[in-house]
Amino acid sequence: MPETGTARGDPARGPQDRFIIVSNRGPVTFSREEGGGRTYSRGAGGLVTALNAMARNRDAVWIASATSGEDVVVAREEEPVEIGDLTVDLVEHDPEAYELMYNHVANPLLWFVQHGIYDLPYSPRLGDDTRRAWEGYEEVNRNFARAAADAAVRAAESGEEPVVLLHDYQLYMVPGSLREGLRGTAAEGAFVSLFVHIPWPDPGYWRILPQGMREGILESLLQCDVLAFHTEGYARCFLDTVSEVLGAEVDLEGRGIQYRGRETRVRAYPISIDPAEFSGLAESEAVLAEEEYVQNLPGSLLLRVDRLDLSKNVLRGFLAYGRMLERYPHMRERVTFLAQLQPSRGSITEYARYSDAVRQAVEEINGAHRTPSWEPVILSLEDNFLRSVAAYKNYDALLVNAVRDGMNLVAKEAAVVNRRDGVLVLSETAGAHEELGEHALTVNPFDLDEQADALHRALIMDPVERRSRAQSLRASVERNTVDDWVEAQMTDIAALRGHSRRGSS
Amino acid sequence: MPETGTARGDPARGPQDRFIIVSNRGPVTFSREEGGGRTYSRGAGGLVTALNAMARNRDAVWIASATSGEDVVVAREEEPVEIGDLTVDLVEHDPEAYELMYNHVANPLLWFVQHGIYDLPYSPRLGDDTRRAWEGYEEVNRNFARAAADAAVRAAESGEEPVVLLHDYQLYMVPGSLREGLRGTAAEGAFVSLFVHIPWPDPGYWRILPQGMREGILESLLQCDVLAFHTEGYARCFLDTVSEVLGAEVDLEGRGIQYRGRETRVRAYPISIDPAEFSGLAESEAVLAEEEYVQNLPGSLLLRVDRLDLSKNVLRGFLAYGRMLERYPHMRERVTFLAQLQPSRGSITEYARYSDAVRQAVEEINGAHRTPSWEPVILSLEDNFLRSVAAYKNYDALLVNAVRDGMNLVAKEAAVVNRRDGVLVLSETAGAHEELGEHALTVNPFDLDEQADALHRALIMDPVERRSRAQSLRASVERNTVDDWVEAQMTDIAALRGHSRRGSS
């Protein structure tokens, strides 16, 4: 245990916590203005928003990768940067190691394994390239671990209790490396958790990874006090995986793992959004300016908003819509499918091929059904967040039919700002289904006719049922906001640490 | 419980068992000779051999589908056919229902789900076609259930105890239908088991199926007293699946399931071969005639023998071999890779595409490395079992690198007749790995370089290690022959029935 000095703690309440948040992407990216001054832009996206909520009003440092040239300058300075009440500590990586971590391990391999989207008779083709890429991943992770250990030791030496909160699948090897770095220091007893923001697969799928990775990652993760996931389902899959791959002793009921003398708790905290942020945004001039476009689309509005990823099931979504138009011809000219798809990872072959297949499906549907006054599908392949929010306000039906999806925040964002009692058609394999499924129309993402029927049912649903479902959806999101998400974790951390302090005294 | 008459039972030992074996393919196919007489040919393949061992020396009837025109004539006759001491009872199906069962549900859908070989972003595309095909599957299964119920009732009414042994993934709906058919009859207490001869997938993969199928199949299977698989791993996956999909109460340690008042035991019985059959065959004139060809191939012999199925990983096997030739150039002209691949399911698009990819890979390797006196790969796309047995006797290394494989009997057949202390390179995801893994070189089927290195290691292994491994392999197969496989099941059945009789008295 660290010494309990009181430099910053309240002596009456014991030492104060020092939160050390670590994620690959940070809250800001620095750049240099033409005039020579340093400036920064804030990161966007669900995870950064959530981690900002985690850092807010806490004594926190946020460690992240230096990604711009100016980031690297910042990383090389002695002291971390203070931005408002947040301390940002950037870590410089060897560019080749970072490339290997990001573009050879995390995004193709781990993403594909954890979303179950390999065509196994053909891919992956693992080998020595994979092992070389893995060395890059490990190097980047050692950099993070070193920075986290430094921050933890500094905190402990000034009488604070370090709480290290690691985030996501770029950092799986940090816990092991961090525990090594802390051994024999004042921060040896630091609390460490890692939050996995993507699905955890079944054990058989995890075994695709080369042995060194599949066991190495699990052994590192079991150096955490808490492993967190978005759903009970992923937590269960993780327990099954460590049981079957490592032979670790697993308590399925209590969600605990005993391995090499350490106990790791496995917990589910469904991530969420800040409803107030989206309500405000929905009223902003910028969004109001986009609304005219959306409201002028003919007929009811069927919406999807996704990164164009193989896991999102965009292709089957269009095919199902095409079937609906064939099966229910009275729907023609009475609905427009607006698909706001942000292109993504175009340099990966599988993504380019998928994008082509999606475009072709849309052309076929539009070619088969369009009329002079009606385009059945509007495919928007650009990142237009403001238009998406405008569409959130105005959809009659929202399609979220992912093959697999860690959570899917679109379903939550859209539910809180929608004005039309829009109906959510939700895949049972999206993480959001554990929370929202009962208020949505549930679909099997592989079943085209079921999706076609659900889209039709959503679009013709009577107003009373629409309203009841929409209100329940919104209430469900408002009951578990991103602040609640943070609070649930903090409460558990406090309880677990109290427990282990009592246990060790 | 059936009345315990003694028409055929020994009064001192209680009623005699009547075994009712049910499988889609039967032990014989009937035809009519030109002269007008009825004749039959015996079925081949591992499953028919195993079920013959099960029927041998027992009071057994074997119920199977009528597949030929003469089979249908036999099926329509009043009495089952006696062939030696075996009674064969053929069941006629509506041809369309059979087509739906076989070519629309069993072989594409269930096979793909249970082997995990879908390219999920693109396929399957389920829908109403799937549900129509499912009706065909159910109809065929009702036919089987009716025949099995008739046989069970006849047995019970003549004082025997019926033991119904159902086999494989064509018959998943039989248990439920059979229990209904037996209700209120003398055979109501019949013992029912079903043996799944292909892998059981992880729960997430099982969920691909439309809800009606995914739950319907499990509910039917839980009408069995025993569910049998080839490995402990599949048994575990099945328990996880019923726990997660049905919410059934599962005892992971005791391998038992409680569901709707019935207890189902889940057991692993690794299927095997008849070593004497293969030893005899190996000495037959027909095989000796094929040996010259095999022995004249230049260099060491690397062998694979497979049905050309997407699950067998034939493509990566060739790619790994190509890598070996590049990485270890001294192996060139010192090894020939004989691939005996039986074409299969060519009418399914995915198989035709896979077959093309395999051919192309072989052309590239041969094109890159062949010399006037050496062809690196000999690709044989025909069903030449005798040549395969000749090759079994003479391989230096045998590659079994399946993506997933229920058991893989080739590994066992080859081990008992091989004369060169050949080394087995075995995928960790083949069912055979639970029994044979410790004597083989284990590979990750997705890792090309690991397979390349394992092939090289196998081919240059020193004679002492080769001999030791080969002897252990053979001994392992001889310790668990197909007769042992039958015996293990019979012993368990007797014990379970004794138990439930005691339990109910």
Side-chain angles (χ1 to χ4, degrees), chain A residues 272 275 435 438-439 471-481 484:
Chain A
S272 193
E435 280 175 285
E438 62 181 313
H439 315 304
Q471 286 178 342
S472 302
L473 261 183
R474 189 176 306 125
S476 174
V477 177
E478 285 166 353
R479 264 197 310 279
N480 176 38
T481 68
D484 299 313

Side-chain angles (χ1 to χ4, degrees), chain A residues 120 122-124 126-128 131 202 204 208-209 214 236 244 316 327 354 428 444 446-449, chain B residues 120 122-124 126-128 131 202 204 208-209 214 236 244 316 327 354 428 444 446-449:
Chain A
L120 289 185
Y122 298 91
S123 65
L126 307 176
D128 293 346
R131 281 174 277 278
D202 283 315
I208 289 170
L209 295 173
R214 84 168 76 128
R236 165 73 189 250
E244 294 185 26
R316 283 198 196 80
R327 179 173 303 184
Y354 191 69
E428 59 190 338
N444 173 340
F446 308 106
D447 194 325
L448 295 183
D449 290 310
Chain B
L120 290 184
Y122 298 91
S123 65
L126 307 176
D128 293 346
R131 281 175 276 278
D202 284 315
I208 289 170
L209 295 173
R214 82 168 77 127
R236 166 73 189 249
E244 295 186 26
R316 283 197 195 81
R327 179 174 300 184
Y354 191 70
E428 59 191 339
N444 174 338
F446 308 106
D447 193 325
L448 295 182
D449 290 310

